[in-house]
Amino acid sequence: MGKVNHVDTDADKVLNVSEKDVQKHFDSLAKMGNLGPSLDDGFLRAAWSDEESQAFEYIKNEAESAGLTARYDGIGNLFIRTPARKNDKKVVQVGSHIDTVPEGGNYDGAAGIVAGLEAIKAVHSSGIMTCKSIELVIWRGEESATFNAAYKGSKGAFGKSFKGDKGDILKNEFRGKTLEQAITEQGFDPSYFREQKPTINQEYIDNIFAHIELHIEQARKLETDKISIGIITSIRGYDRYRITVAGEFDHSGATPMGTEYRKDANLAIAYMQVEIDKLGRKYAKLGNDLVQTIGEINSNHELNKQHGIYNNAITKVSGIGYFSLDIRSNNQNFKEAYVNEAKKLIKRLAKSKKVDIEILPMSSDNPTENLDEKIREIIACSCDRLSYSYQPMSSGAGHDAAIVAQQMRSDGAYVPVGMLFIPCRAGISHNKMEFAKTEDVVKGANVLVNTIYELAK
Amino acid sequence: MGKVNHVDTDADKVLNVSEKDVQKHFDSLAKMGNLGPSLDDGFLRAAWSDEESQAFEYIKNEAESAGLTARYDGIGNLFIRTPARKNDKKVVQVGSHIDTVPEGGNYDGAAGIVAGLEAIKAVHSSGIMTCKSIELVIWRGEESATFNAAYKGSKGAFGKSFKGDKGDILKNEFRGKTLEQAITEQGFDPSYFREQKPTINQEYIDNIFAHIELHIEQARKLETDKISIGIITSIRGYDRYRITVAGEFDHSGATPMGTEYRKDANLAIAYMQVEIDKLGRKYAKLGNDLVQTIGEINSNHELNKQHGIYNNAITKVSGIGYFSLDIRSNNQNFKEAYVNEAKKLIKRLAKSKKVDIEILPMSSDNPTENLDEKIREIIACSCDRLSYSYQPMSSGAGHDAAIVAQQMRSDGAYVPVGMLFIPCRAGISHNKMEFAKTEDVVKGANVLVNTIYELAK
């Protein structure tokens, strides 16, 4: 934290976005995928759903009305641009997503899109012709809660693999529909995923001068510390697994307790969960960056349709079960070592509880250990000029920006990426109580517009 | 264990059932509710389903072909009789059920019916006119895995309450159908349940001279000890609960670990399960009769349809969950004290894990602490005369016989009840691998026929 020296712009011009328009966008988006009459009913704008597409079209129309150009790529990501001075193909990008988890809120992702749209509009309407183009990218389907994979739009755009065989991700289902069906129904082309064919080619990547994402914090540090802007230094990577447990069904009244008699899937899962919890907290206490979560136990809608899980009953020793495990760290070496230790622990407990297990990798992403320092500096400068408080922080959640940060230019350097966080109420996200104040989004958008202006001019 | 002295019958006649007919019945029943082409595919003869009714009709036809009378009561229990000598209204009853849990086997319940049918046929075909009538009762829907309540037929016949408001049980669902619909569809009258109206009146109860149930052991003691017949001394009672847990959904990557930040329903359930397991094993080690089981975690088909359980996701701290708890003992005082301690433990852990809970009673039944000693003696005599090995044992599972044992005659005495167990393969039941050898069922049926003959003559 602290003041960073900066070179003033020619006019030392400070740009500001329109609070009225920011509010208008949230009010409009609040009608798209809302699960009831009020914000508190939560949202579902699933990846490649009618609701997500409706939100995309809304942003496209707003951008075009403001004189910006807009185009979809082959898988439905939306690119909105201001024109650049001739002969400079470089682009300063702002990006985020607009989909939600089931019963999510109107701010995770959407805040970055609303702020990005108003930032790019503010530069455009200022009449200044920047050297570089400025682009807002709205990625499709960032949330892994739909179709079991995260960053679907951004990874798809860069032709990245989704762990497992080529095209496999297209078979993933959400509420009875495969990803392939969903993409096709929205008028886009699933073959990009099947063939790992990028929509953003190497020349395009070489021209990304900088990429910035604004996001709600999804934790409560900014709110607690009364700070307006978090400048992100690293983004956690993750490893996700599904662990299936096979015990043996037995009569709950006639079978004595203990592993001499019972192979109890539920009990084995409980011991695994408690021991993993203790292991994780031990390492976190030692100062390692780590969060781990068992978010699903026997509660995946798609799995439960086929899985024999309903053969469990009150009066049976449970013969079957499964759980998810999400392990995150901003340190790749530590993450790898920890994942191995957690797997060993699970295997050891399976043996002692007499159950059979399978540890199935679901998805994985490396941390972004260091976000671009120059961009961090420019964000800090922008905060200073606007007199907003700020502090450096690590991002616990993953973001599309981390996917962009993994893209290598032809010269061997990675695309420079920056991120800024704004506070959200009580740190809550992925929840229908998720909320961010319009004034906080406006502050973020003001930092964003001055940062991209500085980068693009 | 050991030889019990007995008075020989007049003719010291030893009756035997037909092994061929026993085999024929299992082969026939194997086609009713089988979930695939072989026994190993498991069975579902749900309470008041077409499959259960088909099995009832089969037994009825077989009985009538053998010259026995058969009648259904108002809720679909089937009563098969041999005629008695005039002026003696007393009846010696044999009973069991023929329904199964989902993916259950062809022997839990059915073994008692097949043995009972052949026993009553053997008396009838011997031509001996007994003083008392002999009756085989096939109770409907004993398994609690369907419609969330056990002993539905036998409790219904005696007009017993199912805990909770009158008639509530009729609203319980199994696979999208209420119990009321299921009973009506099979042509019987749900108003008996709604009004707690018995189909077996007090005069009838006064005339039950003895009631005997044969059942597979559902544990592996007889098999391990190479003993043919278990003579039951007590039947465990049970208390069943569903515990719902409300935490708070949060982002799995951005929310630090620990209860300062997380209200994790899944983690709270895991700690509850492990601590309850430790508590139960401590008391069992001290010599108390106890088994406890958490058979369902987030895996009840009916609940999951309405419940918000699918809002849990891999990338969310879990905000919601539930589990079942089945506690059984053959000692009522101990059971009550233990249940209270387990509830206290759950509440204490809920507080320390920062989650809200509800402990909902599902069903409860007292143990039968002592089965009738005279009947036990006659069963032992029958074994001796047949030269079958036997041993006294406690029943871990509950049985319809326990409901009969709770019925009081006008003279203040309870109906005298006896039970005998036969071995089943590896002690497995409530499982598609459930199996009992025909020769073992025949041995049980031979003990049964000589016991009821002795009681009825």
Side-chain angles (χ1 to χ4, degrees):
Chain A
M1 202 172 343
K3 200 168 156 68
V4 174
N5 290 328
H6 65 90
V7 180
D8 283 352
T9 59
D10 297 336
D12 212 17
K13 191 173 174 62
V14 178
L15 297 171
N16 280 283
V17 303
S18 151
E19 177 154 358
K20 201 172 122 267
D21 284 354
V22 166
Q23 186 59 56
K24 184 186 86 171
H25 300 323
F26 282 117
D27 291 346
S28 302
L29 290 171
K31 294 179 195 107
M32 302 170 191
N34 198 357
L35 298 170
S38 90
L39 281 185
D40 292 355
D41 293 309
F43 286 80
L44 176 55
R45 291 194 290 259
W48 286 275
S49 65
D50 290 346
E51 293 77 13
E52 192 199 34
S53 290
Q54 191 189 4
F56 268 73
E57 280 292 290
Y58 170 77
I59 299 295
K60 183 167 176 282
N61 290 336
E62 287 292 314
E64 287 173 341
S65 304
L68 302 164
T69 61
R71 67 173 180 88
Y72 285 108
D73 69 3
I75 57 174
N77 296 308
L78 181 62
F79 297 77
I80 289 164
R81 276 218 181 202
T82 61
R85 276 186 208 158
K86 266 186 190 147
N87 297 328
D88 197 337
K89 286 185 165 175
K90 295 235 174 308
V91 61
V92 173
Q93 259 182 355
V94 178
S96 198
H97 63 98
I98 207 154
D99 68 320
T100 74
V101 298
E103 294 209 13
N106 201 26
Y107 299 91
D108 174 352
I113 299 304
V114 168
L117 175 64
E118 286 309 306
I120 194 169
K121 269 174 62 188
V123 176
H124 185 64
S125 66
S126 73
I128 308 165
M129 180 66 84
T130 53
C131 288
K132 304 174 191 73
S133 294
I134 302 175
E135 187 169 70
L136 169 67
V137 194
I138 310 166
W139 306 109
R140 287 268 167 180
E142 188 260 1
E143 299 290 357
S144 65
T146 56
F147 302 103
N148 263 327
Y151 321 128
K152 293 176 282 293
S154 53
K155 285 177 82 170
F158 292 112
K160 295 293 143 194
S161 128
F162 283 85
K163 283 234 163 175
D165 293 328
K166 258 190 177 185
D168 258 3
I169 189 189
L170 290 173
K171 296 195 184 104
N172 286 359
E173 289 190 18
F174 179 67
R175 306 217 169 154
K177 196 177 279 187
T178 64
L179 180 57
E180 176 152 23
Q181 288 173 311
I183 293 173
T184 306
E185 279 180 22
Q186 297 305 319
F188 300 103
D189 181 358
S191 74
Y192 286 92
F193 286 96
R194 194 178 302 112
E195 296 158 22
Q196 280 180 227
K197 192 169 61 179
T199 71
I200 295 179
N201 64 18
Q202 188 59 51
E203 191 196 341
Y204 203 117
I205 292 171
D206 289 346
N207 281 319
I208 304 176
F209 184 72
H211 180 98
I212 303 178
E213 182 166 358
L214 176 148
H215 206 279
I216 58 169
E217 182 193 354
Q218 308 181 269
R220 52 183 77 93
K221 194 155 187 345
L222 292 174
E223 188 183 74
T224 308
D225 297 349
K226 296 190 172 35
I227 297 284
S228 299
I229 302 292
I231 302 178
I232 306 312
T233 54
S234 66
I235 302 173
R236 281 184 182 140
Y238 59 83
D239 277 78
R240 289 179 197 145
Y241 295 90
R242 177 163 287 138
I243 295 97
T244 60
V245 180
E248 210 161 86
F249 292 111
D250 263 313
H251 193 286
S252 70
T255 317
M257 295 187 291
T259 47
E260 311 91 288
Y261 306 100
R262 295 181 171 211
K263 298 175 177 179
D264 186 328
N266 283 346
L267 196 62
I269 290 173
Y271 274 92
M272 288 172 190
Q273 216 180 336
V274 166
E275 291 306 315
I276 289 174
D277 181 55
K278 288 177 179 167
L279 185 73
R281 287 196 288 148
K282 184 186 86 180
Y283 277 103
K285 213 174 239 174
L286 293 170
N288 299 286
D289 184 75
L290 172 70
V291 284
Q292 69 183 356
T293 306
I294 289 178
E296 286 180 352
I297 300 177
N298 302 342
S299 66
N300 181 281
H301 193 255
E302 273 59 50
L303 262 188
N304 284 10
K305 282 194 296 188
Q306 303 138 18
H307 204 268
I309 203 73
Y310 293 126
N311 291 315
N312 286 325
I314 296 181
T315 53
K316 285 159 85 175
V317 175
S318 75
I320 194 165
Y322 65 86
F323 63 99
S324 67
L325 178 59
D326 176 40
I327 292 172
R328 309 205 194 200
S329 176
N330 67 13
N331 181 315
Q332 178 64 10
N333 288 339
F334 169 73
K335 177 162 76 72
E336 280 177 15
Y338 182 79
V339 161
N340 284 334
E341 199 164 331
K343 282 187 194 171
K344 266 186 216 156
L345 178 63
I346 290 170
K347 285 176 192 164
R348 197 166 65 240
L349 286 165
K351 208 170 166 188
S352 78
K353 295 296 168 195
K354 303 262 179 76
V355 296
D356 294 321
I357 55 157
E358 269 194 284
I359 303 180
L360 308 164
M362 299 284 292
S363 57
S364 168
D365 207 15
N366 293 348
T368 305
E369 298 192 350
N370 287 296
L371 291 187
D372 188 75
E373 288 192 26
K374 186 161 167 263
I375 298 177
R376 279 151 63 179
E377 208 172 298
I378 295 171
I379 296 172
C381 279
S382 302
C383 291
D384 281 335
R385 293 177 63 204
L386 290 155
S387 301
Y388 295 161
S389 55
Y390 59 92
Q391 65 180 18
M393 61 197 303
S394 184
S395 171
H399 296 285
D400 288 306
I403 303 303
V404 181
Q406 290 162 11
Q407 306 313 313
M408 198 183 274
R409 292 177 181 163
S410 300
D411 64 6
Y414 287 99
V415 172
V417 168
M419 276 200 83
L420 59 153
F421 275 0
I422 58 166
C424 60
R425 183 175 61 191
I428 294 168
S429 72
H430 286 198
N431 183 305
K432 41 193 186 175
M433 295 310 291
E434 177 185 301
F435 180 73
K437 285 187 219 158
T438 297
E439 62 182 272
D440 289 336
V441 180
V442 166
K443 282 185 183 174
N446 284 339
V447 175
L448 195 61
V449 61
N450 289 286
T451 301
I452 58 177
Y453 174 66
E454 181 65 28
L455 286 161
K457 75 175 183 195
Chain B
M1 203 174 339
K3 202 168 153 69
V4 175
N5 290 326
H6 65 93
V7 181
D8 284 352
T9 59
D10 297 337
D12 210 15
K13 192 174 174 63
V14 178
L15 297 171
N16 280 283
V17 303
S18 151
E19 175 154 358
K20 201 173 120 265
D21 284 353
V22 167
Q23 186 60 55
K24 183 186 86 169
H25 299 323
F26 282 117
D27 292 345
S28 302
L29 290 172
K31 295 180 195 106
M32 302 171 192
N34 197 357
L35 298 171
S38 90
L39 281 186
D40 292 354
D41 293 308
F43 286 80
L44 176 55
R45 291 194 291 259
W48 286 276
S49 65
D50 290 346
E51 293 78 13
E52 193 198 33
S53 290
Q54 191 189 5
F56 269 73
E57 280 293 289
Y58 171 78
I59 300 296
K60 182 168 177 282
N61 291 335
E62 287 292 315
E64 287 172 342
S65 305
L68 302 164
T69 62
R71 67 171 180 91
Y72 285 108
D73 70 2
I75 57 173
N77 297 309
L78 180 64
F79 298 76
I80 289 165
R81 278 220 181 202
T82 60
R85 275 187 208 157
K86 265 184 190 149
N87 297 330
D88 197 336
K89 287 187 168 177
K90 294 237 174 307
V91 61
V92 174
Q93 258 184 356
V94 177
S96 198
H97 62 99
I98 208 156
D99 67 323
T100 74
V101 298
E103 294 208 14
N106 201 26
Y107 300 90
D108 174 353
I113 298 303
V114 169
L117 175 64
E118 286 310 305
I120 194 169
K121 269 174 61 187
V123 177
H124 185 65
S125 65
S126 74
I128 309 165
M129 181 67 83
T130 54
C131 289
K132 304 174 193 75
S133 294
I134 302 175
E135 184 168 73
L136 169 66
V137 194
I138 310 165
W139 306 109
R140 288 269 168 180
E142 187 259 2
E143 300 290 357
S144 65
T146 57
F147 302 103
N148 262 327
Y151 321 128
K152 293 175 282 294
S154 53
K155 285 179 81 170
F158 293 112
K160 294 294 144 193
S161 129
F162 284 84
K163 282 234 162 175
D165 293 327
K166 257 190 178 184
D168 258 4
I169 190 188
L170 290 173
K171 296 196 184 103
N172 286 359
E173 289 191 17
F174 179 67
R175 307 219 168 154
K177 197 177 276 184
T178 64
L179 180 59
E180 176 152 25
Q181 288 173 310
I183 293 172
T184 306
E185 279 179 22
Q186 296 306 319
F188 300 103
D189 182 358
S191 74
Y192 285 93
F193 286 95
R194 195 178 303 112
E195 295 159 24
Q196 281 180 225
K197 192 168 62 180
T199 70
I200 295 178
N201 64 17
Q202 188 60 50
E203 190 195 344
Y204 203 119
I205 293 171
D206 289 346
N207 282 319
I208 303 176
F209 184 72
H211 179 98
I212 303 178
E213 182 165 359
L214 175 148
H215 207 278
I216 59 169
E217 183 194 353
Q218 308 181 269
R220 54 183 76 94
K221 196 158 185 342
L222 292 175
E223 187 182 74
T224 307
D225 297 349
K226 296 187 173 35
I227 297 285
S228 299
I229 303 291
I231 303 178
I232 306 312
T233 53
S234 66
I235 302 173
R236 283 185 181 138
Y238 59 83
D239 277 79
R240 290 181 197 143
Y241 295 89
R242 178 164 286 140
I243 295 97
T244 60
V245 180
E248 210 161 87
F249 292 112
D250 262 313
H251 192 286
S252 69
T255 317
M257 295 186 292
T259 47
E260 311 91 288
Y261 306 100
R262 295 181 171 211
K263 298 175 177 179
D264 186 328
N266 283 346
L267 196 62
I269 290 173
Y271 275 92
M272 289 171 188
Q273 216 180 336
V274 166
E275 292 306 315
I276 289 174
D277 181 56
K278 288 178 179 167
L279 185 73
R281 287 196 289 147
K282 183 186 87 181
Y283 278 103
K285 210 173 243 174
L286 292 171
N288 298 286
D289 184 75
L290 172 69
V291 282
Q292 68 183 356
T293 306
I294 290 178
E296 287 181 352
I297 301 177
N298 302 340
S299 66
N300 182 281
H301 193 255
E302 273 58 51
L303 261 189
N304 284 10
K305 282 194 296 187
Q306 301 138 19
H307 204 268
I309 204 75
Y310 293 125
N311 292 316
N312 286 325
I314 297 180
T315 53
K316 285 158 87 173
V317 175
S318 75
I320 193 164
Y322 64 87
F323 62 98
S324 67
L325 178 58
D326 176 41
I327 292 172
R328 309 205 193 200
S329 176
N330 67 13
N331 181 315
Q332 178 66 8
N333 288 340
F334 169 73
K335 177 162 75 74
E336 279 176 17
Y338 182 79
V339 161
N340 284 335
E341 198 164 332
K343 282 187 193 171
K344 266 186 215 155
L345 178 62
I346 290 170
K347 285 176 192 163
R348 197 165 66 238
L349 285 165
K351 208 170 166 189
S352 78
K353 296 294 168 196
K354 304 262 180 76
V355 296
D356 293 322
I357 55 159
E358 269 193 285
I359 303 179
L360 307 164
M362 299 283 293
S363 57
S364 167
D365 207 16
N366 292 350
T368 307
E369 298 191 352
N370 287 297
L371 291 188
D372 188 75
E373 287 191 29
K374 184 160 169 265
I375 298 176
R376 279 152 62 179
E377 207 172 298
I378 296 172
I379 295 171
C381 279
S382 303
C383 291
D384 281 336
R385 293 176 63 205
L386 290 154
S387 302
Y388 296 161
S389 55
Y390 59 93
Q391 65 181 15
M393 60 197 301
S394 183
S395 170
H399 296 286
D400 288 307
I403 303 303
V404 182
Q406 290 162 12
Q407 307 312 314
M408 198 182 274
R409 293 178 181 160
S410 301
D411 64 5
Y414 288 98
V415 172
V417 168
M419 274 200 85
L420 58 152
F421 276 180
I422 59 166
C424 58
R425 183 175 61 191
I428 293 169
S429 72
H430 286 198
N431 183 307
K432 40 192 186 176
M433 295 310 291
E434 176 184 304
F435 181 74
K437 285 187 219 156
T438 298
E439 63 182 271
D440 289 337
V441 181
V442 167
K443 282 186 181 173
N446 284 339
V447 175
L448 196 60
V449 62
N450 288 288
T451 302
I452 59 178
Y453 174 67
E454 181 66 29
L455 286 161
K457 76 174 181 192

